[in-house]
Amino acid sequence: QFIEHRFGKESLETILSKAGLSATDGIDSMKAYDDARTVEIIEICMEVTGWSQRDLLVAFGEYFITWALQSGYENVLRGMAHNLHDFLNNLNVMHDFINQCSFRSEMRVPIFACIREGDQKLQLHYVSGRNGLS
């Protein structure tokens, strides 16, 4: 959905073709893919769109949050915390919940730790064992 929304149907079809996926199969958002396959698909997206990996992943993250809010998950996200610090620290719990409900422990999630540094500053630590995806 992200690729088609951002770059159009033709770009999506090109990416699927280069990745050896049919338009009907597409990329299953409820499936945990092997990291090498994920990186391969991201590299194809980079080639087709001309965007860097960082720009694609940031734009996907922005798209995903908008999608989640518009798809009925707003109350879940708002219920995770009453402030940004606690929300970021609860991402690990959210990922674990999604992993258990959807992927049955196949998903390899990052670890987040948010530390307050004074009244106006937060430091976010992000740890991932997924080479090429962090």
Side-chain angles (χ1 to χ4, degrees):
Q1 291 175 347
F2 163 69
I3 293 293
E4 185 171 5
H5 173 79
R6 191 68 176 238
F7 301 102
K9 188 172 184 165
E10 186 177 318
S11 292
L12 175 62
E13 289 171 354
T14 301
I15 289 165
L16 291 173
S17 175
K18 287 179 176 271
L21 298 167
S22 70
T24 54
D25 294 338
I27 297 169
D28 185 353
S29 62
M30 297 307 291
K31 178 180 177 187
Y33 288 90
D34 175 81
D35 286 350
R37 180 69 168 143
T38 302
V39 170
E40 176 188 355
I41 292 170
I42 291 171
E43 288 172 349
I44 293 168
C45 291
M46 291 167 54
E47 175 189 333
V48 171
T49 66
W51 283 29
S52 70
Q53 177 179 350
R54 181 188 185 286
D55 289 344
L56 281 168
L57 294 178
V58 167
F60 175 76
E62 292 168 352
Y63 174 84
F64 180 78
I65 293 298
T66 301
W67 172 86
L69 293 173
Q70 293 173 349
S71 297
Y73 295 100
E74 181 174 358
N75 289 339
V76 172
L77 293 172
R78 289 192 184 280
M80 284 177 54
H82 297 291
N83 59 62
L84 181 60
H85 172 264
D86 293 346
F87 178 85
L88 293 171
N89 273 327
N90 283 333
L91 287 175
N92 299 324
V93 174
M94 181 191 70
H95 278 130
D96 188 52
F97 177 77
I98 292 169
N99 186 25
Q100 294 304 314
C101 291
S102 301
F103 295 100
R104 316 278 188 296
S105 297
E106 293 177 30
M107 192 166 81
R108 292 177 44 214
V109 298
I111 304 291
F112 294 89
C114 187
I115 300 167
R116 287 189 190 278
E117 294 187 347
D119 291 339
Q120 300 294 316
K121 187 176 178 183
L122 299 174
Q123 183 178 48
L124 180 64
H125 295 267
Y126 172 90
V127 179
S128 174
R130 300 178 71 189
N131 292 331
L133 297 173
S134 56

